[in-house]
Amino acid sequence: MLLDTTLREGEQSFGTYLSMTDRERILRGLAAVGVPEAEVGWAGRDDLADMLALAARVAPGLAAAAWCRCRPEDLRAAVACGARRVCVGVPVSDAHLARRLGLGRPALLDQLAATLAEARMLGIEHVTVGMEDASRADRSFVFAVARHAAAHGAHRVRLSDTVGLYTPLEVADMVRALRAELEVARLDGSAPRARRVSIGTHFHNDCGMATANALTALECGADCADVSVLGLGERAGVARLEELAAALVVRGRAAFDLAPLRGLCGHVAQAASLSVPRHWPVAGRDIFAVESGLHAHGVRRDPSLFEPFPPELVGGSRRMGVGRKSGVAAVAAALAELSILPPPDQLPAIVEAVRELSATLRRPLTPAELGELAGITRSENGPSPVQAGIRPDGDALAVRDSGTPLSTTSPTASAGNGTPRLPRTGEAGRGRIREA
């Protein structure tokens, strides 16, 4: 159902250089998740034989494929390296045919037939024909290539959206139409084995729709979708493994083990010198972190109210924070977790102090900060929380006689003379999200 191409498409991305240790960890991670198939390189790559051997050793259950151009010599090179499974790239748009290959449509069909004949002669077990730039090609020619591939022994035809222009509605229509075309080819005798030809997809993410397109394709009859870890690939990359795998599991369409995904994403990010945004689906560190009053209230009552799946499913954990967006119930609950139970009449002052300090620090408070803040606020004649000089890490700063911290926590919170600029009570309260 999923074909991972991190080690082929992903390694083609600008500035990405993976070591053999990186590749081994990726292969082991893919096997742990349960991904059934992966492209591990391309014909002409110096270490293709090493990659195929590595895949067989560390991920024996993973079907390892090599990518080839539509040329018999590429197939021979791949087989010489130990490949038994290949993906053949076949441009189908007139622009690619004319400007990249210098071929007309009939010549391309002849070349495809010759390449597939070579695959049969070499005893290659599985051949995918990837129809490149399908989203800008004449639809009738895309179908002609698919029928031709089926008639000459291909096991899979793959719709490749090379520049990421398809939309989900277009994908749904195209996949259904391609399936119907293959059935017609079977019935009219032009490709008797077309029933056994599966449909794959390869969507680029230039317009941000790769994962949605891949899921749509699978929902509409495609058998396989290409993905990579973090969507790593040329330009904006391709459909993301972590997103699509999670969507399929949550929708009951697959049984992948999602727990290893966060670690796999973290390793790929490090190896490719990428930063995973904290809100990144599945892999982001803050996707199960809650601060706003309404959401915190709901999550404490029943996490499923505001979570599509439990954190444990993807190897994550839930975090509850309090800050400028928190209400009385959220602050009271957070204090209770610290075994601090202030009298009800003191809670509004503590909440206001929490909001004030959070607005100054421009982030939620740590448990240590919350505990110290509650103690300060409850002291009858104690200093204000910011005068107490709580650092972002929870340590207290020295306090001048005037009550001003000796240093500030952030340049953005400074009035320009080393003194924190504190919001007035009215300002701190604007735009709050209060609990019902």
Side-chain angles (χ1 to χ4, degrees), residues 189-241:
S190 60
R193 58 178 302 280
R195 179 188 289 271
R196 297 192 299 273
V197 176
S198 62
I199 295 175
T201 63
H202 183 95
F203 295 110
H204 275 259
N205 200 41
D206 297 82
C207 294
M209 289 180 280
T211 301
N213 283 338
L215 180 61
T216 299
L218 293 174
E219 297 269 335
C220 293
D223 303 284
C224 180
D226 287 9
V227 292
S228 72
V229 180
L230 298 176
L232 192 63
E234 295 278 8
R235 302 182 314 281
V238 296
R240 298 167 182 166
L241 166 64

Side-chain angles (χ1 to χ4, degrees), residues 20 24 28 51-60:
M20 287 302 287
E24 179 175 343
R28 290 185 184 277
M51 285 302 303
L52 289 165
L54 178 66
R57 178 171 61 84
V58 305

Side-chain angles (χ1 to χ4, degrees), residues 30 37 85 129 197 206 238 261 277 287 311 364 372 389-390 407 427-428:
L30 295 175
E37 185 176 353
R85 194 177 191 95
V129 172
V197 176
D206 297 82
V238 296
L261 274 177
I287 59 173
E372 187 166 355
I390 300 175
S407 63
E427 292 174 341

